[in-house]
């Protein structure tokens, strides 16, 4: 139909009422179909993509004060131009993160993309900074597509099929090749694709194998590609693939297992710098000869003097130095390795905080870009001059007009658990605490994640405005403390890991500043599972819980998560098809112990979540409501595994803070918003 005729057709239809109608009758307005099985759910006024049940409106005074905290933004480095004079970042000025370019330190952030969906992964085309490639999904479903943006016209072009899932975008240093991973072959296995940048729609598969295969890095001349076969966080292999022929050569040993945390070619392409925990408890750096791989015996670690994980690395374009990031008890440190002498020297000028995403400009070896932030300010774009060892800040992300000097910095603490485990955690305490204050425990996701001392507006509001404390434990299974610690919750061992919840509650009771009678718990994804496990298995020690996209039943989660990730999760949680494993999973699933739950519960979920499906949220909401009907529930129909659109995220965080204030009260140092 001609679009111009549509208003006329609508007008005519409106006048053709049935003969029995009277002028007093009004046409019925169709109500939107509920996207949920939870009784009483309805769309939120002003946010039609958010549906709520039992969630009260946000009072205007609370909204006004919270708005300042929630207006904070960050800026993550995506890439740099060949000469290093342009830094490509992802940051938010509207409702979602979009691509911007910065052309000098503290210069204007010039926006390049203007879409409703967030963009957090992008690369320049080497040799042409006016062309870039990026990944983007719809509605949080994580079925990312590859796009090419022409900055000359401002137009983006879809390069992939529009329906399969794609990830791990890489461009060769010579600008000839584009590589990414995708599920287009069968929807379950992830293959590596390569395409000429001159005709990027002509992609071909370099791998056609079962499992998850991902590109990592092109050689300097673009002739070879490093590819990872990923089975689990502690079980991956590295291959070298000939870009033209597709011939594969395994670099890591065929026997045993270990992680592949990062890898780059040496400058001549004959060797590989590999970060792995295969040979030690921590992820260390090794240099392997491609022609003599897999190596015989144990290669020499190039970072054995540092007893922490290497988290990132980048090789300078001239091949003379490697820049490394280490995770030292949650804080990042930077060192430079001389490729010839193998001497390791630390860059002490970088402030204390958290860094990630090292990027060298293609034609400069004297400067490296990275994302960096700390507890008092958001992640921002920085560069480090490697000759002068001097860091330079390129962006300063806003914090809603608040004074950063008022922000609370967390303290690193440790406390004992069972089996000789010592749990590290970060504790936020209100300033000038004069009496015991309520405390909210926050569990990270993963499970192989780690709570880090980065800026957290939720924590700052909780501490500064509500006078509460926040405790972020890195329970066994967390990354950052060695592979033995990370493996302590694998499979059926997860039952023993629940003891760390009890240890955390015991620690709270041991601190004179914390009120053990007013404890809340909050977590997303696997942290959501830990949140639900806390209220199910320690019911008398917690008053309130906010579960965000969390697992309520391990067996049903494994059966219903997307096919492309099911085997990856079985490696972590155990195979629910094994009756003995399933028995343990059911015993430690919160859904099976809903009759024990006494705490108030608030569940938040994205309808398009490919990881933890909506059914996990709704089955726990409905089960708990049979005993306690006042369970809050929020569902965002345009989100997936978490909330990336600002209006949705704001509402989720505002109401979560309201929920904790209602059930835990305020600390004595809190000020009314």
């Amino acid at each position: 139909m001609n679009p111009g005729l549509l208003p006329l057709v609508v007008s005519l239809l409106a006048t053709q009422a049935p003969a029995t109608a009277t002028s007093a009758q009004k046409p019925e307005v169709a109500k939107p179909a509920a996207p949920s099985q939870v009784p009483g759910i309805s769309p939120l006024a002003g946010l039609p993509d958010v549906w709520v049940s039992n969630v009260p409106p946000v009072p205007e005074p609370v909204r006004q004060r919270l708005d300042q905290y929630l207006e904070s933004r960050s800026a993550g480095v995506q890439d740099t131009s060949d000469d290093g004079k342009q830094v490509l970042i992802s940051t938010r000025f509207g409702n979602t993160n979009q691509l911007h370019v910065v052309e000098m330190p503290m210069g204007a952030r010039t926006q390049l993309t203007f879409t409703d969906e967030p963009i957090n992964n992008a690369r320049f085309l080497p040799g042409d900074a006016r062309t870039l490639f990026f990944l983007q999904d719809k509605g949080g479903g994580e079925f990312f597509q590859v796009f090419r943006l022409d900055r000359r016209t401002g137009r983006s072009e879809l390069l992939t099929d529009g329906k399969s899932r794609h990830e791990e975008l890489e461009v060769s240093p010579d600008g000839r090749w584009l590589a990414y991973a995708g599920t287009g072959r069968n929807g379950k296995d992830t293959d590596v694709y390569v395409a000429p940048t001159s005709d990027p729609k002509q992609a071909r598969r370099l791998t056609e194998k079962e499992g998850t295969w991902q590109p990592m890095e092109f050689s300097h001349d673009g002739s070879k590609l490093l590819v990872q076969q990923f089975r689990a966080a502690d079980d991956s292999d590295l291959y070298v693939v000939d870009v033209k022929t597709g011939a594969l050569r395994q670099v890591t040993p065929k026997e045993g297992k270990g992680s592949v945390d990062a890898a780059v070619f040496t400058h001549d392409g004959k060797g590989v710098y590999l970060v792995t925990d295969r040979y030690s408890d921590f992820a260390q750096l090794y240099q392997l000869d491609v022609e003599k791989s897999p190596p015989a015996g144990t290669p020499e670690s190039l970072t054995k003097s540092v007893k922490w994980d290497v988290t990132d690395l980048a090789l300078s374009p001239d091949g003379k130095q490697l820049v490394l990031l280490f995770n030292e008890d949650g804080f990042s440190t930077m060192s430079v390795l001389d490729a010839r002498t193998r001497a390791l020297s630390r860059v002490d000028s970088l402030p204390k905080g958290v860094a990630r995403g090292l990027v060298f400009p293609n034609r400069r070896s004297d400067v490296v870009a990275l994302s960096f932030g700390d507890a008092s300010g958001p992640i921002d774009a920085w560069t480090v001059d490697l000759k002068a060892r001097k860091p330079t800040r390129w962006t300063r992300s806003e914090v809603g007009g608040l004074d950063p000097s008022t922000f609370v910095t967390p303290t690193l603490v440790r406390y004992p658990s069972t089996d000789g485990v010592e749990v590290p955690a970060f504790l936020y305490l209100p300033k000038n605490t004069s009496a015991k204050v309520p405390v909210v425990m926050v569990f990270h996701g993963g499970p192989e994640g780690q709570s880090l001392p980065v800026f957290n507006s939720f924590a700052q509001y909780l501490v500064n405005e509500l006078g509460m404390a926040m405790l972020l434990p890195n329970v066994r299974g967390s990354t950052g403390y060695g592979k033995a610690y990370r493996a302590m919750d694998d499979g059926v061992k997860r039952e023993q890991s629940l003891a760390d919840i009890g240890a955390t509650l015991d620690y709270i009771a041991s601190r004179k500043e914390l009120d053990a009678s007013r404890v809340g718990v909050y977590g997303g994804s696997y942290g959501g599972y830990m949140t639900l496990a806390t209220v199910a298995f320690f019911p008398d020690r917690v008053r309130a819980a906010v579960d965000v996209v969390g697992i309520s039943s391990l067996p049903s989660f494994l059966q219903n998560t997307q096919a492309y990730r099911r085997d990856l999760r079985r490696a972590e949680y155990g195979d629910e098809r094994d009756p003995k494993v399933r028995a343990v999973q059911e015993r430690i699933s919160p859904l099976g112990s809903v009759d024990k739950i006494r705490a108030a519960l608030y569940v938040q979920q994205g309808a398009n979540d490919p990881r933890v499906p909506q059914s996990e949220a709704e089955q726990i909401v409905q089960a708990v409501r049979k005993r306690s009907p006042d369970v809050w529930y929020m569902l965002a129909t345009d989100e997936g595994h978490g909330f990336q659109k600002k209006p949705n995220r704001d509402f989720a965080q505002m109401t979560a803070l309201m929920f904790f204030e209602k059930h835990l009260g305020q600390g004595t140092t809190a000020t009314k918003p």
Side-chain angles (χ1 to χ4, degrees):
M1 179 182 291
N2 184 335
L5 296 179
L6 187 58
L8 176 60
V9 172
V10 172
S11 176
L12 289 173
L13 289 174
T15 62
Q16 293 174 359
T20 56
T22 68
S23 59
Q25 291 176 320
K26 296 182 179 180
E28 293 186 1
V29 178
K31 294 182 179 179
S36 166
Q37 299 299 313
V38 172
I41 198 165
S42 60
L44 185 67
L47 283 179
D49 293 317
V50 173
W51 292 63
V52 294
S53 177
N54 286 349
V55 182
V58 180
E60 191 57 32
V62 174
R63 180 183 298 277
Q64 289 176 1
R65 186 56 173 159
L66 261 170
D67 271 343
Q68 286 192 280
Y69 286 86
L70 299 177
E71 277 299 331
S72 63
R73 65 181 114 250
S74 62
V77 171
Q78 301 297 309
D79 204 353
T80 66
S81 59
D82 293 337
D83 58 8
K85 293 182 178 180
Q86 297 182 54
V87 175
L88 182 66
I89 64 170
S90 176
T91 191
R92 178 196 60 76
F93 278 90
N95 290 334
T96 60
N97 280 2
Q98 296 295 307
L99 298 178
H100 298 68
V101 71
V102 185
E103 297 183 333
M104 66 176 67
M106 305 307 293
R109 290 160 283 186
T110 303
Q111 191 163 342
L112 304 181
T113 57
F114 300 82
T115 70
D116 293 333
E117 301 293 347
I119 304 175
N120 294 302
N121 192 322
R123 299 287 185 274
F124 280 126
L125 173 63
D128 180 11
R130 294 174 295 179
T131 300
L132 54 88
F133 301 93
F134 64 88
L135 291 171
Q136 187 178 42
D137 70 345
K138 290 184 178 180
E142 298 186 12
F143 277 73
F144 299 99
Q145 303 302 315
V146 182
F147 293 84
R148 177 175 58 185
L149 170 64
D150 186 341
R151 292 173 63 187
R152 302 166 186 84
T153 64
R155 294 182 178 178
S156 298
E157 178 185 13
L158 175 66
L159 303 179
T160 43
D161 62 11
K163 56 184 180 180
S164 305
R165 184 178 189 271
H166 305 86
E167 58 185 345
E168 304 302 329
L169 192 65
E170 298 291 339
V171 185
S172 63
D174 60 8
R176 290 188 300 155
W177 300 105
L178 170 69
Y180 51 85
T183 60
R185 179 163 55 90
N186 59 17
K188 176 180 179 291
D189 299 309
T190 302
D191 299 312
V192 175
Y193 290 77
V194 66
T197 56
S198 59
D199 192 6
K201 289 188 177 181
Q202 299 304 312
R204 55 187 171 88
R205 284 191 288 271
L206 280 186
T207 62
E208 290 191 6
K209 297 179 178 294
E210 184 178 4
T212 300
W213 297 71
Q214 301 167 328
M216 296 192 74
E217 184 92 4
F218 280 97
S219 60
H220 187 69
D221 64 2
S223 66
K224 296 186 286 290
L225 179 66
L226 287 175
V227 169
Q228 177 188 31
Q229 181 188 14
F230 184 88
R231 289 179 290 269
D234 63 347
D235 187 13
S236 293
D237 278 305
L238 185 67
Y239 292 78
V240 173
V241 185
D242 186 289
V243 173
K244 289 186 177 180
T245 68
L248 275 79
R249 182 184 183 94
Q250 188 167 341
V251 177
T252 47
K254 298 182 184 297
E255 60 280 347
K257 68 177 185 178
S259 66
V260 174
D261 297 288
V264 297
F265 280 103
T266 56
H267 189 260
D268 60 10
K270 296 179 180 180
V272 172
Y273 293 109
L274 169 66
V275 176
T276 179
D277 63 10
R278 179 180 288 269
Y279 307 106
S280 66
D281 191 37
F282 286 92
Q284 298 188 1
L285 176 69
Y286 304 86
Q287 183 176 346
L288 307 180
D289 188 321
V290 171
E291 297 302 320
K292 297 179 181 179
S293 294
T298 302
E300 180 186 1
S301 168
L302 305 182
T303 55
K304 58 180 178 292
S305 62
V306 182
K307 303 300 182 184
W308 295 98
D309 283 337
V310 178
T311 58
D312 205 348
L313 83 163
L315 179 68
S316 60
D318 62 11
K320 294 181 179 180
Q321 53 189 346
L322 273 164
V323 178
L324 306 170
L325 293 177
F326 293 88
N327 175 357
E328 298 190 10
D329 233 347
F331 295 93
S332 297
T333 62
M334 176 184 287
S335 292
V336 178
L337 181 81
D338 187 301
R340 183 180 61 84
T341 66
R342 295 186 172 182
L344 189 68
S345 58
R346 184 158 168 164
V347 179
D348 291 319
S349 57
L350 198 67
K352 190 173 184 179
V354 177
R356 58 175 181 256
L358 296 169
V359 181
F360 270 104
N362 282 326
R363 294 202 300 265
R364 292 185 63 180
S365 297
D366 62 327
V367 65
V368 67
L370 70 157
S371 304
F372 176 85
D374 58 24
S376 62
I379 293 286
D380 269 310
W382 292 65
T383 58
V384 176
D385 183 321
L386 297 175
K387 290 182 179 179
R389 301 294 176 97
K390 178 183 177 182
T392 299
R393 187 172 192 157
W394 278 63
T395 62
R396 187 179 298 277
S397 295
E398 297 81 0
V399 288
L402 298 169
D403 180 0
S405 68
T406 65
F407 296 152
V408 174
T409 300
T411 301
L412 177 63
V413 300
R414 282 183 165 82
Y415 47 87
S417 184
T418 59
D419 308 315
V421 169
E422 191 175 51
V423 178
F426 288 99
L427 176 63
Y428 290 82
L429 278 174
K431 297 178 181 179
N432 305 316
T433 304
S434 57
K436 287 181 178 292
V437 299
V439 58
V440 176
M441 303 186 300
V442 178
F443 290 106
H444 65 69
E448 315 97 331
Q450 183 184 17
S451 290
L452 300 171
V454 293
F455 179 71
N456 185 329
S457 59
F458 188 94
Q460 297 299 338
Y461 185 89
L462 193 85
V463 174
N464 285 332
E465 303 293 334
L466 299 185
M468 299 184 189
M470 178 179 280
L471 181 64
L472 296 87
N474 284 308
V475 297
R476 71 187 82 181
S478 301
T479 295
Y481 309 97
K483 67 181 181 183
Y485 191 82
R486 186 185 62 210
M488 282 185 175
D489 68 343
D490 289 353
V492 296
K493 291 185 289 184
R494 196 162 310 279
E495 188 163 22
Q496 284 72 48
S497 75
L498 297 180
D500 292 352
I501 299 174
T504 303
L505 292 165
D506 290 343
Y507 174 74
I508 289 172
S510 74
R511 293 286 300 236
K512 60 180 175 46
E513 311 97 322
L514 306 180
D515 188 345
S517 70
R518 292 189 290 166
V519 175
V521 59
Y522 178 99
S525 190
Y526 178 73
Y529 163 78
M530 291 291 281
T531 295
L532 294 174
T534 300
V535 296
F537 304 123
F538 300 87
D540 298 326
R541 304 182 71 177
V542 186
R543 283 195 186 185
V546 177
D547 157 37
V548 184
V549 298
I551 301 166
S552 59
S553 167
L554 291 169
S556 63
F557 154 69
L558 290 167
Q559 291 166 2
N560 296 323
T561 193
Q562 281 284 338
Y564 69 82
R565 63 189 314 277
R566 188 170 295 126
D567 288 340
L568 302 178
R569 293 297 80 196
R570 283 171 174 156
E572 172 67 33
Y573 296 104
D575 193 332
E576 83 287 357
R577 296 168 297 185
D578 182 326
K580 292 183 179 179
V581 173
R582 189 184 185 99
V584 176
Q585 291 176 342
E586 290 179 344
R587 186 162 62 242
I588 64 174
S589 289
L591 187 64
S593 296
V594 289
D595 58 316
K596 301 176 183 176
I597 295 176
R598 298 291 178 268
L601 180 62
Y602 182 12
V603 177
Q604 301 176 344
Q605 180 68 35
N608 305 319
D609 193 338
R611 307 188 196 188
V612 181
Q614 179 180 339
S615 55
E616 288 298 304
E618 304 215 339
Q619 64 189 8
I620 194 72
V621 168
Q622 296 192 72
V624 175
R625 276 190 176 177
K626 291 179 180 178
R627 181 190 53 78
S628 176
D630 188 25
V631 176
W632 295 14
Y633 181 50
M634 169 192 170
L635 177 70
T637 58
D638 59 344
E639 299 278 11
H641 198 61
F643 307 111
Q644 296 200 59
K645 297 180 173 67
K646 187 177 186 301
N648 301 342
R649 185 171 63 249
D650 286 357
F651 181 79
Q653 295 199 0
M654 285 180 180
T655 51
L657 287 162
M658 287 168 48
F659 182 81
F660 283 129
E661 183 178 7
K662 174 183 177 180
H663 294 286
L664 303 183
Q666 291 190 340
T668 56
T669 60
T671 58
K672 289 286 185 180

